[in-house]
Each structure stands twice: as C-alpha cells, then as structure tokens.
C-alpha cells in the first residue's frame, strides 16, 4: 500500500491509499476535491472508495465531486448517516472491512464528534485518526464528553506501539508548545520536537507519527485518569 499525503485547505491532510499493483485507491477525508483530483488524474489512479472519519466540512467537502467524477462509493459510520450526504455503505464499530484492495478495522472514537471513527489497517499497522488523535494533541471535544474522549484515546493507546498514525491536521508544532509548557522535563518530547522541526523545515509534513512517540510525548495520552485529562483539555481550550 502506498500512502500519498494530499494537503487540503489550510492545514488539513487527506490521504490516498493506493494499491500499487493496479492503482486502485481509497481516499480518506477529502476536505476539498481539487488537490485530490489533481493527483488522481496525473497518476491515473482508480478511485474506488471515499472514507470519512467524521462529518465536519473540512473532512468531507470533496466527497461530492470525487464521487460523481469517479463513481466512487462513500463509506462512513452508521451514526453519521444523516449528516454525511450520499453515503453508500454504512460502517459499524469494530467492523472489519475487507475487499480485494484493502482490509481495515473501524474503531468508534466519540468525543470530537459523536460519530467519529478511526480506520485501523491492522495488517500494515497504520491508523487514520482524523480529528481525534493528533501528533502531540487531541481534538477539541465538541459533541461528546471528556469521558468519551478519554475512553476513545484509551482505545488508541492499546494499539501496537509501532503503529503509524496519520492524523487530520498539521497542528504538531503548535501542539508542541502546550506539551512543552506542561511537561518541561520530558526528554522524549524534546527529541520529538527536534525531529518535527527538522521535517517541517525541509518542507515535509509532520505525518506520520507513531503510537510509541505519542505515548511518550503527547500530554493527553500521558494523562493517567479522566480528571487529569479533563484538566488538560480545559487548559488547552483556553491556551
Ligand atoms: Zn473535525
Ligand atoms: Fe478537522
């Protein structure tokens, strides 16, 4: 599987997952159609499926054009069936999706929104976390409770440490400021920030991160309990 990172809008990431044998592909969270379209047309990709982590516009606004142009099918979570337009196939929590192209598990992670899901490609050890888990941060809790978000992050913490994380926004450097403020003497964090800066300076995005890196450096994953998590989330919301 080849993962092509497509930058969308101001700081969104969309991802094209390409089967290199026949160029069949999935796209995750096309926040706008044009940059995805450009890549597909230049590289003669066959777009088969559109996957959405949640219903926010910056993750689905490219759906319509891409669906029409390539006759691609939209896959999204059952609870979002009334707010993601034109869903073709409903996904359920813990469902394993398996077709000729790719295989993944759906992980329901309410908090940022109630219908947020992650796509876990367990064979490749890759997860797409949308606006739930960022590098050095987590999504704002818009619809769920802090408890929902804490439990959702706890699910992700249990994945194999070597799992690569592809997240929804380039917030990493900004997030690092908050982590550094709370967690001054964390040597892993210092190293991670240097690594991120080097990548960004050379024009690369900070994706992917890994579960291991985030367990060591992400203050929201380091929170030991709900109370601690809740305090951090409130602090960050007003940071
Ligand atoms: Zn969002
Ligand atoms: Fe977003």
């Amino acid at each position: 599987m080849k993962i092509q990172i497509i930058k969308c809008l101001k700081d969104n990431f969309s991802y094209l997952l390409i089967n290199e044998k026949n160029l069949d592909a999935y796209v995750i969270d096309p926040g706008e159609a044009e940059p995805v379209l450009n890549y597909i047309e230049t590289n003669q990709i066959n777009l088969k499926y559109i996957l959405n982590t949640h219903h926010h516009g910056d993750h689905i606004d490219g759906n319509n054009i891409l669906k029409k142009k390539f006759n691609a099918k939209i896959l999204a979570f059952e609870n979002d069936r009334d707010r993601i337009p034109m869903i073709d196939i409903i996904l359920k929590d813990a469902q394993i999706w398996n077709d000729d192209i790719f295989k993944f598990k759906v992980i329901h992670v309410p908090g940022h929104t109630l219908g947020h899901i992650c796509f876990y490609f367990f064979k490749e050890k890759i997860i797409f976390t949308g606006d739930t888990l960022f590098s050095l941060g987590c999504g704002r809790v818009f619809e769920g409770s802090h408890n929902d978000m804490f439990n959702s992050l706890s699910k992700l913490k249990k994945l194999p440490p070597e799992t690569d994380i592809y997240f929804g926004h380039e917030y990493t450097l900004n997030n690092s400021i908050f982590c550094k403020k709370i967690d001054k003497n964390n040597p892993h964090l210092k190293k991670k920030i240097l690594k991120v800066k080097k990548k960004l300076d050379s024009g690369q995005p900070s994706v992917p991160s890994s579960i291991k890196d985030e367990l060591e450096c992400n203050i929201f994953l380091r929170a030991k309990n709900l109370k601690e998590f809740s305090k951090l989330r409130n602090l960050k919301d007003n940071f």
Side-chain angles (χ1 to χ4, degrees):
M1 181 208 284
K2 177 186 168 175
I3 302 174
Q4 180 64 39
I5 301 170
I6 312 271
K7 290 187 183 177
C8 289
L9 305 168
K10 200 174 117 245
D11 50 29
N12 275 79
F13 291 122
S14 175
Y15 300 104
L16 265 171
L17 316 185
I18 304 162
N19 175 346
E20 287 165 290
K21 283 187 205 128
N22 56 11
L23 301 186
D24 282 353
Y26 292 6
V27 67
I28 297 186
D29 283 356
E32 57 178 339
E34 205 187 294
V36 181
L37 209 56
N38 286 344
Y39 187 89
I40 289 177
E41 290 186 333
T42 313
N43 296 279
Q44 301 183 339
I45 304 293
N46 319 307
L47 184 68
K48 300 286 185 186
Y49 294 102
I50 299 165
L51 279 58
N52 296 129
T53 58
H54 64 297
H55 74 285
H56 286 160
D58 62 316
H59 298 255
I60 70 165
D61 281 352
N63 279 10
N64 197 348
I65 291 176
L66 293 171
K67 179 182 165 76
K68 281 197 184 127
K69 180 114 190 161
F70 301 104
N71 200 19
K73 291 198 166 29
I74 299 176
L75 271 66
F77 191 53
E78 53 180 346
N79 297 14
D80 277 346
R81 63 158 75 88
D82 295 326
R83 49 187 194 176
I84 296 180
M86 299 178 304
I87 297 182
D88 294 287
I89 300 168
I90 294 286
L91 299 173
K92 292 179 185 304
D93 183 27
Q95 174 182 347
I96 309 265
W97 171 267
N98 188 4
D99 68 359
D100 296 338
I101 317 176
F102 298 124
K103 199 170 165 176
F104 64 83
K105 185 180 177 181
V106 177
I107 304 179
H108 182 212
V109 285
H112 179 69
T113 67
L114 287 176
H116 199 302
I117 53 175
C118 294
F119 302 106
Y120 177 39
F121 290 73
F122 44 92
K123 230 176 64 209
E124 292 86 356
K125 294 210 175 75
I126 292 169
I127 188 161
F128 296 87
T129 56
D131 287 358
T132 293
L133 177 60
F134 297 122
S135 185
L136 305 182
C138 73
R140 273 178 188 260
V141 180
F142 285 132
E143 293 181 355
S145 61
H146 283 177
N147 191 31
D148 287 333
M149 189 56 140
F150 181 71
N151 289 337
S152 293
L153 293 175
S154 300
K155 284 188 189 177
L156 303 181
K157 278 160 84 167
K158 289 189 204 114
L159 298 174
E162 64 273 27
T163 307
D164 279 332
I165 306 172
Y166 288 80
F167 39 89
H169 289 266
E170 182 60 271
Y171 291 160
T172 313
L173 195 59
N174 210 359
N175 285 341
S176 76
I177 301 168
F178 182 75
C179 282
K180 217 166 64 185
K181 192 171 177 226
I182 307 285
D183 202 9
K184 286 179 202 73
N185 301 313
N186 180 346
H188 298 294
L189 177 61
K190 286 181 188 160
K191 255 173 70 187
K192 175 79 175 173
I193 294 174
L194 285 177
K195 208 163 80 181
V196 166
K197 278 190 176 153
K198 218 171 138 189
K199 264 181 133 181
L200 294 173
D201 285 346
S202 69
Q204 291 172 270
S206 67
V207 266
S209 185
S210 67
I211 294 290
K212 178 177 183 286
D213 277 13
E214 298 307 315
L215 284 173
E216 287 173 347
C217 306
N218 185 329
I219 196 71
F220 294 98
L221 294 194
R222 286 165 61 73
K224 283 180 224 50
N225 51 45
L226 173 61
K227 204 176 145 210
E228 217 176 289
F229 171 78
S230 212
K231 200 178 133 197
L232 288 166
R233 195 53 265 178
N234 286 332
L235 273 173
K236 177 91 189 270
D237 287 346
N238 301 300
F239 186 60

